[in-house]
């Protein structure tokens, strides 16, 4: 990866607001959009198609945070697979009968799998970090397009990059509302930073996104 050293993906989560205008404003300014479960459940999976019709550029990700047997993960994914480029699933469910089946399904539809390797909230230290070596074993065996790694704990992101090498895409949430500075995860080895509230809750999301980009650039240059 590393083809876009300043990747920025915007997280759209709230089920209570329409994001059509925001997507149009940010189209071409950011590298993609991540649609959260509250939004997809509240508005319905077809809302992904509605939003995407407002911006044909960038990567569109359904953040379903799947954690089930392969059969059920495929059923869930089938509701949005035509409208997005990639789907996020948890890594701890393992490959056999779970992520392996999901990956095969997604690839048969020309879509990408992104697997959570670790998370950005403080509780990730309680379980996720302890299980990280096992989760990375599963990810190595699986070979997904991308993984999720925390911007809030850049040393974890760096260790994931070192272990998995340059070919996997690392997407990194936790910038802004969760405390990480723009650019911190990119410096730690991520390809894309995921930013939600810092941008979508701003009165001027386009200016906020441009400010994040500028902060990423400065941080990478320092
Ligand atoms: O904190 P923000 O508003 O920037 O949103 C972060 C987004 O990233 C949100 O959609 C959340 O579901 C997702 N995410 C994490 O915050 C932490 C993770 O470990 C994985 C995904």
């Amino acid at each position: 990866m590393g083809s876009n050293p300043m990747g920025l993906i915007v997280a759209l989560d709230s089920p209570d607001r329409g994001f059509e205008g925001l997507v149009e404003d940010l189209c071409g300014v950011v590298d993609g959009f991540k649609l959260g479960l509250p939004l997809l459940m509240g508005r319905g999976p077809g809302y992904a198609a509605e939003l995407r019709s407002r911006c044909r550029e960038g990567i569109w990700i359904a953040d379903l945070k799947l954690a089930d047997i392969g059969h059920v993960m495929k059923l869930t994914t089938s509701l949005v697979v035509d409208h997005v480029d990639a789907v996020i699933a948890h890594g701890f469910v393992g490959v056999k009968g779970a992520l392996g089946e999901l990956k095969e399904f997604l690839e048969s539809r020309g879509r990408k799998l992104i697997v959570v390797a670790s998370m950005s909230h403080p509780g990730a230290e309680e379980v996720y970090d302890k299980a990280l070596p096992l989760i990375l074993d599963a990810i190595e065996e699986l070979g997904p397009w991308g993984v999720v790694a925390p911007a809030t704990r850049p040393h974890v992101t760096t260790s994931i990059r070192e272990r998995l090498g340059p070919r996997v895409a690392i997407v990194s949430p936790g910038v802004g509302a969760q405390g990480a500075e723009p650019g911190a995860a990119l410096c730690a080895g991520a390809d894309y930073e995921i930013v939600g509230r810092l941008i979508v809750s701003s009165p001027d999301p386009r200016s906020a996104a441009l400010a994040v980009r500028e902060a990423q650039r400065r941080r990478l240059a320092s």
Side-chain angles (χ1 to χ4, degrees):
M1 276 284 124
S3 54
N4 181 357
M6 279 180 40
L8 174 58
I9 293 171
V10 175
L12 308 179
D13 287 310
S14 173
D16 303 324
R17 65 181 269 195
F19 284 114
E20 294 86 346
L22 181 138
V23 165
E24 285 172 0
D25 280 354
L26 295 182
C27 192
V29 172
V30 302
D31 299 298
F33 297 92
K34 184 179 78 66
L35 310 178
L37 211 43
L39 180 70
L40 291 171
M41 287 182 72
R43 297 262 167 172
Y47 192 55
E50 168 60 33
L51 288 182
R52 198 171 192 176
S53 73
R54 309 300 178 110
C55 181
R56 297 282 176 201
E57 297 175 28
I59 185 167
W60 285 79
I61 302 170
D63 188 0
L64 303 175
K65 295 258 177 32
L66 297 163
D68 212 318
I69 58 170
H71 171 66
V72 173
M73 292 198 289
K74 287 192 286 183
L75 285 177
T76 311
T77 299
S78 69
L79 298 172
V80 288
V81 71
D82 290 338
H83 314 317
V84 295
D85 303 298
V87 169
I88 296 180
H90 273 291
F92 58 73
V93 292
V95 179
K96 293 179 197 66
L99 293 173
E101 291 181 11
L102 179 63
K103 182 178 176 235
E104 196 179 306
F105 171 69
L106 284 167
E107 289 183 350
S108 76
R109 307 292 290 265
R111 304 299 191 258
K112 299 171 166 68
L113 175 60
I114 300 174
V115 176
V116 179
S118 185
M119 296 191 70
S120 57
H121 61 298
E125 291 181 353
E126 297 163 16
V127 176
Y128 246 115
D129 282 2
K130 291 174 185 160
L132 187 60
L134 297 176
I135 292 171
L136 292 179
D137 284 347
I139 287 173
E140 267 196 325
E141 180 186 337
L142 182 70
W145 176 82
V147 300
V148 177
T152 46
R153 290 173 303 121
H155 64 284
V156 176
T157 297
T158 299
S159 71
I160 291 169
R161 171 59 79 203
E162 284 169 356
R163 169 76 192 274
L164 297 179
R167 286 183 53 196
V168 72
I170 297 183
V171 303
S172 198
V175 173
Q178 296 181 56
E181 298 285 335
L186 300 180
C187 291
D191 298 286
Y192 298 94
E193 292 184 333
I194 293 172
V195 181
R197 289 162 286 180
L198 180 66
I199 292 174
V200 301
S201 301
S202 162
D204 182 352
R206 187 182 167 92
S207 296
L210 289 168
V212 169
R213 278 233 181 272
E214 175 57 17
Q216 287 177 322
R217 192 194 61 73
R218 270 190 274 109
R219 181 104 180 202
L220 278 168
S222 68

